[in-house]
């Protein structure tokens, strides 16, 4: 799995991808993540990536030319090109699972008042939204998609068995209520307890309890 992210703020990703299991997966060569400064594909002195909207209106719009050149350079036959926009298809676990089986994702992070519509129409394969709210840029959506996809790529979490155990054959992922030590957490006069059944060692009862306190996330 290789991910190429096109952004005008490449430094935003520095600490994010250089920490935790994602860094390890990159070091092991399981995944490749490349962050590209869109301005690399500009030709004018000021490295302009935006311009005023035709027809008037508020703010600036990202230009098509540098994005076209960037995607042209990075794209391969098997690539999926994602454009982040709050108008896009709502991202979910099902899409993450589909993406995790692909070889190459190219992500385009918008900024300003959005991206020239021809990018959505002619260059991107899919427009994605991470929720019904408007962010200032596509960088956080790119991190959301990258992390949710990469944790499904075999070898990234190290415990593929765990993902399998948490996956129902047809429905998706099981997310459960979890507890750890201490068994009793004292909050002033109150005692916040771990449910007794989890300490009982009775696997059948624990399984039944888990069924009640789990949610299946379609995937
Ligand atoms: N009206 C603009 C549009 O429809 O794209 C809003 C632009 S927003 C201020 C700037 C950029 O942030 C967008 O181009 C997009 O890349 C990203 N963005 C904002 N909210 C998002 C969301 N909920 N999901 C995905 N991307 C989002």
């Amino acid at each position: 799995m290789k991910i190429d992210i096109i952004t005008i703020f490449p430094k935003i990703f520095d600490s994010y991808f250089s920490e935790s299991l994602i860094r390890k997966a990159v070091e092991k060569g399981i995944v490749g993540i490349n962050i590209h400064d869109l301005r690399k594909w500009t030709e004018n002195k000021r490295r302009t990536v935006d311009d005023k909207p035709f027809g008037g209106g508020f703010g600036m719009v990202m230009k098509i030319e540098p994005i076209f050149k960037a995607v042209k350079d990075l794209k391969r036959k098997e690539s999926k090109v994602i454009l982040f926009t709050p108008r896009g298809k709502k991202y979910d676990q099902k899409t993450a699972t589909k993406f995790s089986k692909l070889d190459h994702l190219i992500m385009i992070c918008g900024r300003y008042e959005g991206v020239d519509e021809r990018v959505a129409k002619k260059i991107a394969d899919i427009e994605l939204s991470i929720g019904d709210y408007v962010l200032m840029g596509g960088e956080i959506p790119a991190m959301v998609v990258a992390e949710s996809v990469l944790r499904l790529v075999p070898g990234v979490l190290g415990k593929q068995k765990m993902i399998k155990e948490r996956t129902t054959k047809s429905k998706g992922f099981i997310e459960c209520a979890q507890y750890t030590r201490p068994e009793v957490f004292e909050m002033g006069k109150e005692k916040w307890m771990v449910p007794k059944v989890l300490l009982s060692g009775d696997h059948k009862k624990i399984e039944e309890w888990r069924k009640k306190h789990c949610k299946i996330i379609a995937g």
Side-chain angles (χ1 to χ4, degrees):
M1 156 73 67
K2 196 180 157 215
I3 297 179
D4 284 295
I5 299 175
I6 302 166
T7 170
I8 58 166
F9 293 122
K11 284 192 184 142
I12 288 180
F13 295 91
D14 283 355
S15 69
Y16 187 73
F17 286 130
S18 59
E19 301 275 350
S20 80
L21 292 174
I22 293 186
R23 176 179 57 87
K24 284 191 183 155
V26 172
E27 282 170 0
K28 281 189 208 157
I30 300 167
V31 298
I33 303 171
N34 296 304
I35 313 298
H36 304 276
D37 186 346
L38 179 65
R39 294 186 200 278
K40 214 168 72 185
W41 285 280
T42 54
E43 271 160 17
N44 60 2
K45 238 186 184 174
R46 296 180 64 202
R47 306 176 84 206
T48 317
V49 290
D50 60 319
D51 209 333
K52 289 179 199 147
F54 279 126
F58 179 74
M60 300 296 270
V61 175
M62 286 179 80
K63 291 160 71 62
I64 186 170
E65 296 102 318
I67 296 176
F68 175 81
K69 286 181 192 155
V71 173
K72 192 169 170 247
D73 278 357
L74 300 170
K75 200 172 170 177
R76 308 193 301 246
K77 227 167 124 194
E78 66 274 20
S79 310
K80 181 110 180 156
V81 182
I82 301 164
L83 172 68
F84 292 109
T85 154
R87 289 180 296 146
K89 175 185 183 286
K90 195 86 65 68
Y91 186 65
D92 57 15
Q93 188 66 32
K94 257 188 183 162
T95 314
T97 304
K98 273 190 205 155
F99 285 176
S100 70
K101 290 168 187 151
L102 302 178
D103 288 331
H104 187 210
L105 299 175
I106 297 175
M107 304 187 189
I108 304 167
C109 306
R111 277 271 156 181
Y112 312 119
E113 278 314 298
V115 178
D116 186 304
E117 187 65 14
R118 288 166 288 187
V119 173
K121 287 213 162 102
K122 304 284 185 188
I123 298 174
D125 296 313
I126 184 166
E127 292 176 71
L128 279 188
S129 161
I130 61 159
D132 287 338
Y133 40 79
V134 181
L135 299 163
M136 289 197 282
E139 287 74 15
I140 289 174
M143 291 181 207
V144 167
V145 173
E147 179 165 320
S148 53
V149 167
L150 291 177
R151 69 183 288 284
L152 301 175
V153 172
V156 171
L157 283 190
K159 287 182 183 158
Q160 207 55 25
K161 207 176 140 213
M162 188 183 86
I163 291 203
K164 273 202 180 134
E165 274 170 11
R166 284 192 165 196
T167 311
T168 61
K169 270 195 185 121
S170 54
K171 291 181 184 159
F173 289 82
I174 305 167
E175 284 298 321
C176 297
Q178 308 266 28
Y179 294 87
T180 186
R181 271 178 252 276
E183 290 169 27
V184 182
F185 181 76
E186 298 201 12
M187 231 348 239
K189 283 180 187 164
E190 283 184 40
K191 287 183 177 175
W192 297 353
M193 317 287 285
V194 171
K196 277 202 179 107
V197 62
L198 296 180
L199 312 170
S200 69
D202 185 334
H203 296 295
K204 210 175 152 206
K205 278 194 179 152
I206 291 174
E207 219 30 63
E208 279 164 17
W209 182 91
R210 285 209 167 124
K211 270 183 199 152
K212 272 193 211 153
H213 295 81
C214 290
K215 186 182 171 190
I216 293 177
I217 298 173

